[in-house]
Every structure is written in structure tokens, then in C-alpha cells.
Amino acid sequence: MTDDIKAQVLGIAPLIVALRRDLHKHPEPGWKEYRTASLAARHLLDLGYKVTMGADAVRAEARLTVPDPATCARERRRAVAEGADPELVARMGDGLTGLWADLVCPGPAPEGERPGPLVALRFDMDANELLESDLPEHVPVREGFASRHAGAMHACGHDGHTAMGMGLAAVLQTLRPRLRGTVRLIFQPAEEDGLGAAPMAAAGAVDGVDRLFGLHLGIQAAHTGDLICGATDFLATTTFNIQFTGRAAHAGIAPQEGRNALLAACTATQNMHAISRHGDGASRINIGQFAAGDASNIIPAHAAIIGETRGVTSAINKYMMDEVTRMSEAAARMWGCRSRLHRTSDCPGGASSPELVDVVERVARDMDCFRHIMRTRSFRASEDFTWLMNRVQEHGGQATYIQLGTDRPAGHHTRRFDFDETALTSGMELLARLVLDSLKARD
Ligand SMILES: [Zn+2]
């Protein structure tokens, strides 16, 4: 059966490369993935999958940062003008661009037994807000599939993830009679800002899942033929903005009447960078943006900072955020100002399940395309996949985050990022084999 999988994957590879290039040409940043999601939904519906989308797949009130309705309406019109199915686009409302698709595989189930396990795979779809390189040696330019959306670019490989998910859907459909259980393909929006997974988890995307696989091209798997079977040490992270409000006054005539919000924000920033380290493990803090003031002769009444915390566990990240909150309030009080903190995104920490890492390693060693297989790597970055992973693990299931190696001319999130498209073939084959391993009907 595994030979069948390889032949099928190779058969559809040219189509999947063409699809990836089409997605690359039309990149859509977080919550604007109307065209991408509608292409995926159309494909899955045509293949006979049961599709859950729109408000059923993304719990609107669980989103931390919500796009404004006028922007969403403009993006919907743009997607339809670029060939998206208008009916499917309408179902996604204002930024409800996630979906999942179920394939129920009857297989030969023995009398009275449950219909088999539920295995889910997650693919993220969003692009980065970045201007793509126009250098002639950049492959998307040379081959004519560079971004047509100024200021948006697939600089992290999510075009490849979505294309792989759609290819996998076709392969699994042909394996269906030999599988027992249910396969769920999750197409997630807004990964880059860590926003898309939590509201999909809240809508039930991974409820009852026994095995969950996430896969990312590149990152720590730097070359084609590399494979990391499961990442550990995901950092928990929170991003936030804080507004400081004071009172304006003439800096020459009556400075004593002013309440200086700029100084409150400075005091807060410096003290946040001096938060005491936590004895249980690593933490991070960064204030990355600062804005304040109007003119040289006015005491500044407003200031705003944007920042993030991270921690090697969710508890350490919470400690950092508790300190950030305390210091912003204390700094504001010290300067006679007020402060308001708003969380813009939140991801827990996490680690892949060792048992499922073993499964990936066993299945990968049986394939001929991986030259360097690493069991685990410490990730030391953040990914909102942890929302889905933790939920599955808390309910007794297993989850792993795979990194699929690819040669690349430049790093992730840079203007010259690109990847080796042969990785799409090995990725689809690996995922199909993992589904087969998870749902193989007993003989
Ligand atoms: Zn990414």
C-alpha cells in the first residue's frame, strides 16, 4: 500500500507545485485568507469531504484581534475578483477564514466496535506583510509566480503547507476503503500573529482527536532531506500594547500642571526590561515600539508602547505578564498618569508527545527521501499550534509538530525566502503514511 502512496503522490506532484505557485502569487495575510480558504473548501467539497467553515469553525468572540468590517468587505471583493467562489467567501463573514474537512473512512469495522480513531492534520494558510524581492535571480520572479499583492508575501512557506494539505486530501480519498476511522484536515488562518489556532480550538477543531500532526517547512530543518520528527520547548508568549494617558500643559508657562505620559512610558519600559529572572527557566521581554509626544513646548499627554513576553512554560510567561502589568500601573501612578494594557495575542508553551514522535521516526525511516532524521529539537520560539496540541494532549490524545527540511536561498520572513518544491512531495508522502499508520484497518 505504501508503494501506491508514493506513486499517487508523484502523479499529483506537478498539480501541487502549480497550486503552490498560484497561492504564492496571491498571498493573503492573517484573517484575509478568503481566496486561499475558498480554494481549499471547494477542492475538499468536490472530493466528498464534510466541510465545517465560517462561524462554525472559528469562534468569533474567542479572537483577540479582530479585523474591521470595511477591510474584510474589501478583501472579500478582491478574493472574488481573483476567482474565489462567491458563495464560500460569503460564508466566511468578517475574517472567519478557518475551516476543517472530515473524511469518514468506514473500513472493515468488527461488529460492535467504535468506528475507529480520529486523526487530524493542521495546515496554516496565511502570508506575511512583507514586500517580495524583485531580483531576477529570485525564483518566483524568474518563473513568473511572484506576489501580485504589494506588501504581502508568502515568506514562511504556508503556500506550500496549504498545497500539501490539498494534495493529501486527494491521496487519502483513494486510500479511504482501506482506512477505519476519521481523518480531519484543518486549514488554519492567522498563524503569523499567533491568533488563528485558539478560536479554532474553541470552536471544537480538535475535540476528540486521538492523534494530531502539524508540519512546517524549513525552520530548524535547514536542508532538503532533513526531518525533525517533533519539536519540544515551545515558548509561551503574549503580545500587548499599553496606552499611557496624562495631562497636556504648556512646558514654559505651567509645566507643573502637566502629567507626562512619555515619562511614565519610559519608566515602565526600563523597569520591564529589568524584571527579575525566574528561577524555573528562561524568559524574554521586549518593548519593540514606542510612540509619544506632540511638540517641544507641550507636556506629552499620550504615550503608547508595544511589546511581548515569552517563557519556557506558560507559568513563566504568566509571571512575566503579571510583572509587566504591575510595572505599567506603578509607572503610571508614579507620574500621575493612567495606563491601559491590551493583550493582542497569546500562545501557551508545549512539547510534542514522545510516543507520536516515535511513530513519525519509524514511518520516516521506512521512506527513501530522508537522509538526516532527527528525533526532536528544542524549538525555543512560539507557534500557535500549541493551542491545538495542548488541547489534544489534555484529553488523552497525542500531538507532534514536524519540521520538513528544505534548501532555501534566504531565511524565513525575509524578502528572498523560497523553498525547494521537491519537499512538497516528501511531505505529502510522509503525512499520507502517518494517516495510514493511524487508521489502518485490521486485516
Ligand atoms: Zn510559518
Side-chain angles (χ1 to χ4, degrees):
M1 200 192 290
T2 48
D3 288 346
D4 284 12
I5 292 178
K6 189 169 180 124
Q8 279 187 53
V9 165
L10 289 173
I12 61 168
L15 275 171
I16 297 310
V17 167
L19 175 61
R20 178 260 160 161
R21 293 183 172 205
D22 175 71
L23 295 171
H24 191 89
K25 227 191 270 186
H26 303 95
E28 299 177 303
W31 301 127
K32 299 171 183 170
E33 304 91 337
Y34 290 106
R35 182 178 185 276
T36 311
S38 76
L39 288 181
R42 180 79 274 149
H43 176 73
L44 293 155
L45 288 166
D46 290 348
L47 284 169
Y49 282 70
K50 180 179 173 290
V51 173
T52 302
M53 62 186 295
D56 295 331
V58 181
R59 183 174 286 175
E61 61 277 16
R63 292 178 300 174
L64 276 181
T65 306
V66 185
D68 72 89
T71 304
C72 290
R74 193 175 64 240
E75 294 293 333
R76 282 197 297 273
R77 286 195 296 276
R78 190 254 323 138
V80 171
E82 289 173 344
D85 181 323
E87 227 170 277
L88 293 173
V89 167
R91 283 173 64 184
M92 293 180 239
D94 286 343
L96 302 170
T97 43
L99 64 106
W100 69 79
D102 288 348
L103 184 69
V104 180
C105 312
E111 199 75 34
E113 277 194 23
R114 77 184 195 119
L118 173 58
V119 55
L121 303 99
R122 178 272 214 159
F123 305 93
D124 44 12
M125 302 184 286
D126 55 323
N128 306 85
E129 295 186 86
L130 192 72
L131 185 67
E132 184 157 19
S133 167
D134 58 2
L135 290 172
E137 62 267 33
H138 182 51
V139 173
V141 173
R142 199 177 69 209
E143 306 275 327
F145 66 95
S147 169
R148 292 186 175 181
H149 298 164
M153 173 194 174
H154 272 294
C156 199
H158 301 186
D159 47 347
H161 302 167
T162 306
M164 263 190 275
M166 289 169 70
L168 181 69
V171 173
L172 294 177
Q173 179 57 272
T174 66
L175 294 178
R176 184 172 175 264
R178 291 182 277 181
L179 302 175
R180 191 159 71 83
T182 303
V183 189
R184 175 169 296 173
L185 304 179
I186 300 170
F187 290 84
Q188 186 208 302
E191 185 281 324
E192 290 293 352
D193 293 321
L195 294 170
M200 289 196 79
V206 291
D207 289 359
V209 166
D210 298 284
R211 283 182 173 183
L212 171 69
F213 298 97
L215 178 143
H216 205 297
L217 283 159
I219 315 185
Q220 295 172 308
H223 300 289
T224 303
D226 292 352
L227 186 77
I228 301 169
C229 303
T232 59
D233 302 325
F234 284 92
L235 297 183
T237 185
T238 303
T239 61
F240 57 86
N241 62 54
I242 307 174
Q243 312 285 334
F244 292 89
T245 310
R247 192 195 306 144
H250 193 297
I253 299 168
Q256 74 282 3
E257 288 176 12
R259 293 290 178 265
N260 195 321
L262 182 153
L263 289 174
C266 285
T267 301
T269 299
Q270 288 198 307
N271 284 284
M272 285 171 192
H273 276 264
I275 292 173
S276 178
R277 298 301 91 173
H278 198 293
D280 288 348
S283 59
R284 308 266 192 282
I285 170 95
N286 184 50
I287 303 301
Q289 201 184 87
F290 189 108
D294 300 298
S296 67
N297 58 356
I298 303 172
I299 304 290
H302 299 283
I305 57 178
I306 294 177
E308 60 160 46
T309 58
R310 298 182 196 239
V312 74
T313 63
S314 298
I316 294 172
N317 186 52
K318 180 180 181 304
Y319 158 77
M320 294 299 286
M321 276 309 293
D322 287 348
E323 286 295 87
V324 162
T325 307
R326 188 170 70 81
M327 285 175 185
S328 67
E329 288 167 1
R333 232 182 3 261
M334 176 178 171
W335 291 98
C337 300
R338 282 173 287 125
S339 69
R340 217 182 63 221
L341 186 148
H342 175 64
R343 284 168 189 250
T344 43
S345 74
D346 230 344
C347 289
S352 299
S353 311
E355 307 87 343
L356 200 54
V357 172
D358 290 342
V359 171
V360 176
E361 185 178 11
R362 170 169 51 77
V363 168
R365 291 212 183 276
D366 201 33
M367 295 170 61
D368 53 18
C369 52
F370 297 118
R371 288 189 301 274
H372 185 203
I373 298 175
M374 291 155 273
R375 208 174 160 277
T376 59
R377 274 292 285 278
S378 173
F379 198 60
R380 294 194 302 271
S382 308
E383 230 283 7
D384 70 356
F385 182 70
T386 49
W387 280 109
L388 306 169
M389 179 154 80
N390 290 357
R391 191 145 169 141
V392 168
Q393 290 168 337
E394 278 158 19
H395 291 89
Q398 299 168 353
T400 189
Y401 185 79
I402 301 165
Q403 295 176 75
L404 175 67
T406 169
D407 296 331
R408 59 207 161 181
H412 291 258
H413 296 195
T414 67
R415 299 179 60 198
R416 287 199 56 210
F417 177 80
D418 188 28
F419 62 84
D420 174 4
E421 288 167 332
T422 65
L424 300 177
T425 318
S426 18
M428 283 189 290
E429 186 187 346
L430 174 66
L431 294 175
R433 282 174 177 249
L434 287 169
V435 171
L436 178 65
D437 183 88
S438 307
L439 298 185
K440 198 168 170 184
R442 264 180 270 149
D443 297 322

